[in-house]
Amino acid sequence: MDLTDFSIAEMCSLSVEGSGLRRAAIVSADAQGEGFAAAYDWTTLWYDAVRLGDVLHLVCPKLLNFKALIADGVLSLDGRPASVRRVRRFRRHDIVEIATDESVEQVSTRAARWTGTSGISLDQTGLFAGLNASMHISRNNRLDWIADWARFHVGEHGLGAMLVMDNASDAYAPEDVLEALSRTGLRRAVVLKVPQTYGPVRSKSGGGGAKFLQPAMLNLARLRFLSRARAVLNVDLDEVVWSRAGSVFDATAASPMGFVTFEGSWRNPAADAALPLRHADHLYPQPGKRPCPTKYCIRPDGWRSGISWDVHKPEVRFPTNLLRRRDFGYWHCRGITTNWKSYNRLGNRDLGPADPFTAETLTRHLATS
């Protein structure tokens, strides 16, 4: 099978492992839940070093006490002193911008007797230029779930390309993801290998979250891959975007602000649904549940090119609920999960009757999958 338009990418990362340094904990000791120490990223300095024109971008977890490692006089490019233009600081990640040129191949930093060096990733925005694209972080999601998600959005919205950031899946190889996606109607797909820890999730009591990886990866996706896409959809693989107004990408392209937001609602399978569950099994609302947090689709050009992307909305200084659409939304499928947050999403359900609109829409796109 020809997979010319279906490819695997890697990051040029740097860890301080072996230096004796450790990232400070961003969460106080009394708020750290069970497993915090094992899940926290103590050592990644940058996830990727990406050259775009005359600027090298280091996409980092929160630098915290590591900020001394990215200063002028410490950083070097091919052994020559580097000049830091600025450090953009966000809620859960930082991006260091360094003046560079096209001949540079390596970036280094040092602390005492330790020196760390990484290669440099190149601009790959041409892969997604002009396409309706989506981005996802995934670990061990079933291959048929990934393919079903793609097939639905190709049919419902005209999705053309997917960027899957595979977070160290051990149930299959990146090539298997591409094989599954090659039969969905997509024009292009990239699997980016992301081996770093996802980070500790927030405990049910509300404390202990320190998830640097996801927001950093969304913005690495923006910089390295997606800034020339027609529009980019940010939802998870268990979230299916419905519409009463045509393609969400078309609506985004036509939006005066260049992005739209929309709420989600839970959908459940029948109690006796056959395993393994699929998206198409999720026909049943759960009365009384509050809407799921917003997700969004964004056009990455123009003034939006410098906006940071976060999980539920772009990081802008005006209330994004003003752009919330009621003719788009997403169904949050309870059974499409590996239970990685260690709780049973299918427990304690009080289901209403099957929703006809959900049934018709899912059946139309997924009945033969």
Side-chain angles (χ1 to χ4, degrees), residues 43-164:
T43 59
T44 299
L45 182 53
W46 58 75
Y47 295 114
D48 203 1
V50 185
R51 184 172 64 235
L52 302 173
D54 62 354
V55 179
L56 177 65
H57 301 259
L58 305 181
V59 181
C60 309
K62 287 303 296 180
L63 287 165
L64 303 175
N65 58 310
F66 285 174
K67 61 185 178 182
L69 296 174
I70 52 88
D72 287 349
V74 177
L75 284 170
S76 61
L77 300 176
D78 289 349
R80 301 186 299 272
S83 175
V84 177
R85 288 187 173 184
R86 64 173 174 169
V87 180
R88 300 188 67 197
R89 303 186 189 280
F90 302 97
R91 189 164 62 97
R92 291 187 289 173
H93 73 288
D94 294 324
I95 297 179
V96 182
E97 298 180 0
I98 303 168
T100 187
D101 61 65
E102 293 185 359
S103 67
V104 171
E105 296 182 351
Q106 293 185 328
V107 55
S108 303
T109 188
R110 56 187 171 81
R113 297 181 180 180
W114 174 84
T115 299
T117 300
S118 84
I120 293 174
S121 297
L122 302 182
D123 182 339
Q124 293 183 273
T125 56
L127 292 173
F128 293 87
L131 296 176
N132 297 330
S134 66
M135 57 183 177
H136 315 268
I137 294 180
S138 176
R139 175 177 167 82
N140 288 335
N141 281 293
R142 290 175 55 92
L143 294 174
D144 51 15
W145 292 346
I146 299 172
D148 282 354
W149 191 96
R151 188 175 294 109
F152 178 93
H153 291 84
V154 168
E156 183 76 354
H157 297 283
L159 177 71
M162 283 178 69
L163 173 62
V164 179

Side-chain angles (χ1 to χ4, degrees), residues 146-188:
I146 299 172
D148 282 354
W149 191 96
R151 188 175 294 109
F152 178 93
H153 291 84
V154 168
E156 183 76 354
H157 297 283
L159 177 71
M162 283 178 69
L163 173 62
V164 179
M165 295 168 277
D166 188 272
N167 190 202
S169 292
D170 54 17
Y172 44 73
E175 291 83 356
D176 298 320
V177 179
L178 295 179
E179 175 78 23
L181 289 176
S182 70
R183 300 187 295 271
T184 63
L186 286 173
R187 293 173 56 186
R188 187 154 296 149

